């Protein structure tokens, strides 16, 4: 014969709910640091890719617009469509990019992290040799 369930028997007990909440908390404690590491790695990888893009843009500018005798500033690179125009004056994935021209035949590219993450990620540097250098805690340089 069918008997309706007692109201006390339906649902989850307090202990069952506490166990589930504890398990979810443990998973969150394990997952959050991994997510932050993945975010930092993606920001650094993106910065390296942009620096490589600017190095390629400088080579293009040198051959096509600089008459094989001068490199261009970031403004000149974007104006002549050698690099993405959104790099000019904008931060990309928490990095800002600058190009300086010490002489007509040399350039320096700096990828500087925004201040909010500066103590957690690397700084990047490249010059006309095309080698990308990195350093923690301070702007990267040739040495």
């Amino acid at each position: 014969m069918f008997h309706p369930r007692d109201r006390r028997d339906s649902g989850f007990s307090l202990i069952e709910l506490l166990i589930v909440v504890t398990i979810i908390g443990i998973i969150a404690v394990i997952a959050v640091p991994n997510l932050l590491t993945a975010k930092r790695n993606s920001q650094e990888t993106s910065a390296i890719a942009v620096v490589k893009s600017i190095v390629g843009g400088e080579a293009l500018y040198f051959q096509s617009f600089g008459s094989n005798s001068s490199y261009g500033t970031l403004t000149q690179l974007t104006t002549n469509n050698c690099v993405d125009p959104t790099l000019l004056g904008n931060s990309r994935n928490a990095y800002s990019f600058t190009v300086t021209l010490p002489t007509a035949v040399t350039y320096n590219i700096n990828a500087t992290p925004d201040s909010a993450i500066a103590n957690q990620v690397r700084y990047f540097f490249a010059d006309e040799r095309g080698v990308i250098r990195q350093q923690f805690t301070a702007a990267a340089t040739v040495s």
Side-chain angles (χ1 to χ4, degrees):
M1 182 166 3
F2 177 73
H3 295 290
R5 295 181 90 189
D6 190 355
R7 183 158 171 77
R8 291 178 299 151
D9 292 339
S10 64
F12 297 103
S13 71
L14 181 60
I15 296 297
E16 291 171 328
L17 291 174
L18 287 174
I19 290 171
V20 169
V21 168
T22 302
I23 291 171
I24 290 172
I26 291 169
I27 291 171
V29 166
I30 293 169
V32 168
N34 291 334
L35 291 173
L36 294 175
T37 299
K39 180 180 178 183
R40 184 184 68 235
N41 289 343
S42 70
Q43 289 170 327
E44 289 180 347
T45 302
S46 174
I48 292 168
V50 170
V51 170
K52 285 181 182 179
S53 171
I54 296 173
V55 168
E58 285 288 3
L60 176 64
Y61 184 90
F62 188 79
Q63 293 173 356
S64 300
F65 304 101
S67 303
N68 288 328
S69 62
S70 67
Y71 289 104
T73 64
L74 194 53
T75 302
Q76 292 168 323
L77 296 176
T78 57
T79 302
N80 291 296
N81 296 320
C82 297
V83 296
D84 185 2
T86 61
L87 291 175
L88 192 59
N90 293 324
S91 178
R92 178 175 284 183
N93 282 337
Y95 274 89
S96 298
F97 302 92
T98 57
V99 175
T100 56
L101 304 173
T103 68
V105 293
T106 61
Y107 65 84
N108 295 331
I109 302 168
N110 286 295
T112 306
D114 294 345
S115 60
I117 63 164
N119 62 344
Q120 303 168 13
V121 294
R122 297 179 287 174
Y123 293 72
F124 297 99
F125 171 87
D127 58 15
E128 64 282 350
R129 289 171 261 178
V131 177
I132 299 175
R133 294 173 178 81
Q134 59 89 26
Q135 184 171 329
F136 285 101
T137 70
T141 61
V142 173
S143 55

